[in-house]
Amino acid sequence: MVRFYIVRHGQTLLNSLDRAQGWADSPLTEAGRQMAADIGHKLKGIGFDAVYASDMLRAVQTAELILEANGKEGVPIKKDVRLREWCLGSMEAENNAVFMRNVTGWLGGGTSFAELNQRLPDIAAALYEHDATGMAETFQAIKYPAASNGVSILQRCRAAGYLTLAAFVKCACKHAHLTHCSRE
């Protein structure tokens, strides 16, 4: 049986400063490093044969720390740009309160964070429409590479244990037709 362990990166400097981050990268804080090490300890005994991470520093650092705490430092980390979070364009590294205010305004009014998570295509469209950099991604651009990468990883799986660091866990699971994705 093939098993995926999907982990979000540990706390970053931008997270600790309450800033939005997609392609804007920042290193793990000490708390983020500890989070990754704790996960590694919890996964001790899991025989990882492959590790996939985005090419972002925060994802690679998280994977390295998990493997180190797990005693599997020799397992290579396969970096893949398709596992990046989506590019927020001119909203990269914006204060989260400003980000939320702008997005909810663009969407026509107050919406909770939980409701916004149900409207990701609308958010991506609003970010794309209001982006001054030309770098913000449409929902189609972020949805299908994550899904197709998940499927190609699944197709290449031959061993029992895998660790994948990805931002679009729900999307990847849904489009790779996985029946169970848990958050622990």
Side-chain angles (χ1 to χ4, degrees):
M1 174 169 72
V2 173
R3 198 172 282 221
F4 277 70
Y5 294 86
I6 302 173
V7 179
R8 186 177 189 270
H9 61 78
Q11 181 193 58
T12 67
L13 176 62
L14 286 175
N15 294 147
S16 71
L17 296 173
D18 200 26
R19 301 281 177 170
Q21 84 182 348
W23 282 14
D25 205 6
S26 64
L28 297 180
T29 62
E30 190 54 43
R33 296 176 67 75
Q34 187 60 52
M35 288 174 187
D38 290 347
I39 292 168
H41 291 297
K42 287 179 183 176
L43 296 175
K44 224 175 199 28
I46 303 294
F48 294 114
D49 296 305
V51 177
Y52 296 88
S54 80
D55 61 339
M56 303 306 260
L57 174 65
R58 61 190 182 251
V60 174
Q61 285 181 322
T62 300
E64 289 170 344
L65 290 163
I66 289 171
L67 290 170
E68 180 181 318
N70 188 276
K72 303 287 185 193
E73 297 97 323
V75 176
I77 299 169
K78 298 172 183 166
K79 299 172 199 145
D80 192 323
V81 69
R82 295 173 298 175
L83 294 174
R84 282 185 179 183
E85 294 183 45
W86 92 52
C87 182
L88 306 174
S90 55
M91 295 299 288
E92 287 285 348
E94 181 60 77
N95 176 277
N96 282 325
V98 172
F99 181 93
M100 290 291 290
R101 185 174 58 244
N102 286 346
V103 169
T104 56
W106 295 334
L107 296 178
T111 311
S112 72
F113 188 76
E115 290 169 328
L116 287 175
N117 272 329
Q118 300 301 311
R119 297 184 65 189
L120 295 179
D122 297 334
I123 293 169
L127 290 171
Y128 185 79
E129 179 183 339
H130 293 90
D131 179 38
T133 69
M135 293 181 65
E137 296 177 286
T138 65
F139 190 71
Q140 295 301 92
I142 59 177
K143 177 180 173 183
Y144 293 110
S148 68
N149 190 48
V151 171
S152 76
I153 291 170
L154 279 170
Q155 291 170 340
R156 290 181 287 171
C157 290
R158 288 188 172 80
Y162 286 82
L163 171 67
T164 303
L165 299 167
F168 296 103
V169 173
K170 186 175 180 181
C171 179
C173 290
K174 176 181 172 187
H175 294 285
H177 306 291
L178 298 176
T179 58
H180 180 73
C181 292
S182 66
R183 293 180 66 172
E184 295 182 24

